Amino acid sequence: MPDLPSDEIAFVDLASQRARLEPALSDAIQNVLCHARFIMGPEVEQLEEELAAWSGAAAAVSCASGTDALLLALMALDLGAGEAVVVPSFTFAATAEVVALLGAVPVFADCAPATFNIDGSTVDDALATARGLGLRARAVVAVDLFGHPAGYTELEAVADAASARLIADAAQSFGGSRDGRQVGSLAPVTTTSFFPAKPLGCYGDGGAVLCTDPEIARRIASIRVHGQGEHKYDHVRVGTNARMDTLQAAVLLHKLRIFGDELVVRRALASRYDYHLRGRVETPTVDEGVVSTWAQYTVLIDERDRVASELAGAGVPTAVYYPVPLHMQPAYRAYPSAPRMNVAEALAGRVLSLPIHPYLTEAQQDHVIEALLATLRV
Ligand SMILES: *Cc1c(COP(=O)(O)O)cnc(C)c1O
């Protein structure tokens, strides 16, 4: 095993980022404490404007988490019992959870082997499953796994043909783009998360819904605050409380200033991994025209668990996203899935995500690469 670098390698390094943002970040937090408009304070509106500008969406509605963003997007469709929503199986639980929470049926789709995202053919299979069960498919939720935007042009055609709406779960891909269009303008409704470990994270939970139609954004903003109508005690629909705290908006406004620069570093790290690892392990595939956020750099590897534990021994933290596909989870296995789910099932046993964050030094990355290659020589 190569020698450990003197400084510890973090999987996500929020401390270095914070040091870079100080003292302005603490001043911004202090400012919120002073003005005391903790709910829907001025920073929230400013953040929404900046998120819309960043993404090319017509409007952004901030909210309390990525999960709430998905919930709001589905509530805006009046999704109800007996209706279906196609979701990928190889994703974080939140994508399917919100569907079940609303009394509707998540129908699991497999994913494409190259990008791990759903594509037209996997969605078609899941739509056929829904039809076979007499379920009306109201929506298709695509996930931009690991930061790689899905093929929305193709997905929109497939969803349209089934009279279903297309929603992008961009919890990992805010800041990415496809064919020159930013995430947030690739699908009619895009949800994202500002969980601390996401590429753009706050200091707690946070999220947003980005809409290309300002009318849908207004509807979602109303659902976010108890279905509010003309005034505070006018409730025109059933809503919820899913507001983002002003403190989180203040943090995000500062993180946005360096976000573009951080994404450049993530891309450079991904290219270095590609260069040194290609041919030795299966490295990530990036579709033509895609700019990924590199939320994760995930390789496919045999004997993944042995490799991960040897890497841990060499001071290299790794993660497995995701060890069990959703259609095999206790909470979801009773829900329908497409007839063949073999890609998701095979990926779960072979994926390994390596450290990739904007504060990873080249020396640290070299150590990760050497340590990984060393495990392959055993
Ligand atoms: C993180 C994540 C979510 C949930 O976001 P939270 O802010 O943690 O609620 C949803 N979908 C995907 C794909 C995610 O990675």
Side-chain angles (χ1 to χ4, degrees):
M1 274 295 144
D3 291 341
L4 289 179
S6 52
D7 48 341
E8 205 177 307
I9 299 176
F11 195 72
V12 175
D13 183 358
L14 297 176
S16 298
Q17 186 194 48
R18 186 168 110 84
R20 174 179 180 182
L21 289 167
E22 294 294 11
L25 183 65
S26 287
D27 289 348
I29 292 170
Q30 197 62 38
N31 190 43
V32 176
L33 298 184
C34 290
H35 73 51
R37 292 173 62 190
F38 298 114
I39 301 293
M40 301 307 275
E43 288 83 354
V44 173
E45 196 180 324
Q46 193 191 336
L47 176 70
E48 289 177 341
E49 279 164 20
E50 294 199 16
L51 291 176
W54 242 92
S55 61
V61 182
S62 63
C63 62
S65 68
T67 306
D68 273 338
L70 285 162
L71 190 67
L72 294 172
L74 292 177
M75 286 177 79
L77 300 179
D78 281 325
L79 181 72
E83 298 181 325
V85 176
V86 171
V87 295
S89 175
F90 197 61
T91 177
F92 182 60
T95 317
E97 180 179 56
V98 288
V99 178
L101 210 51
L102 291 172
V105 179
V107 179
F108 292 107
D110 201 3
C111 51
T115 62
F116 315 159
N117 286 335
I118 59 170
D119 64 9
S121 85
T122 60
V123 172
D124 266 332
D125 290 346
L127 287 168
T129 296
R131 264 195 309 278
L133 294 166
L135 296 168
R136 178 172 167 228
R138 294 286 317 284
V140 173
V141 183
V143 174
D144 300 339
L145 208 68
F146 305 148
H148 182 294
Y152 286 100
T153 309
E154 183 198 21
L155 289 171
E156 190 144 28
V158 172
D160 277 354
S163 302
R165 307 293 280 276
L166 181 60
I167 296 170
D169 177 351
Q172 304 175 12
S173 64
F174 181 82
S177 67
R178 186 161 184 130
D179 299 327
R181 286 161 65 203
Q182 288 291 122
V183 165
S185 55
L186 289 165
V189 172
T190 300
T191 66
T192 195
S193 164
F194 303 122
F195 180 80
K198 308 286 181 181
L200 179 63
C202 56
Y203 286 167
D205 279 309
V209 187
L210 306 155
C211 304
T212 57
D213 177 353
E215 194 48 48
I216 296 177
R218 272 191 286 278
R219 196 179 165 83
I220 287 172
S222 158
I223 297 169
R224 172 184 63 181
V225 193
H226 308 291
Q228 191 172 298
E230 292 294 304
H231 59 85
K232 191 172 175 187
Y233 296 107
D234 177 31
H235 304 287
V236 296
R237 53 177 66 86
V238 174
T240 182
N241 171 8
R243 294 174 296 233
M244 173 185 282
D245 289 343
T246 307
L247 280 167
Q248 300 303 346
V251 169
L252 284 166
L253 282 169
H254 280 270
K255 291 218 191 178
L256 259 182
R257 313 245 132 89
I258 59 167
F259 185 49
D261 180 52
E262 289 183 334
L263 289 174
V264 169
V265 177
R266 283 178 183 272
R267 286 203 290 279
L269 290 168
S271 306
R272 285 189 92 240
Y273 272 141
D274 282 346
Y275 179 79
H276 292 284
L277 298 178
R278 195 172 277 152
R280 306 299 307 278
V281 296
E282 287 178 53
T283 52
T285 301
V286 179
D287 281 347
E288 174 102 35
V290 159
V291 178
S292 175
T293 59
W294 295 104
Q296 304 298 340
Y297 186 91
T298 303
V299 299
L300 296 184
I301 202 161
D302 294 329
E303 297 185 72
R304 187 261 326 273
D305 295 339
R306 173 186 65 80
V307 169
S309 88
E310 287 185 22
L311 285 174
V316 175
T318 59
V320 174
Y321 303 117
Y322 298 89
V324 182
L326 293 184
H327 73 281
M328 297 169 74
Q329 292 279 357
Y332 298 102
R333 62 187 165 218
Y335 288 108
S337 39
R340 279 186 320 280
M341 300 295 287
N342 49 305
V343 178
E345 287 167 17
L347 287 176
R350 300 187 65 219
V351 281
L352 187 67
S353 300
L354 305 178
I356 186 163
H357 61 73
Y359 304 93
L360 190 73
T361 63
E362 285 197 0
Q364 289 177 321
Q365 189 185 24
D366 288 341
H367 177 76
V368 174
I369 292 164
E370 283 168 37
L372 176 59
L373 294 178
T375 69
L376 306 177
R377 282 189 211 107
V378 174

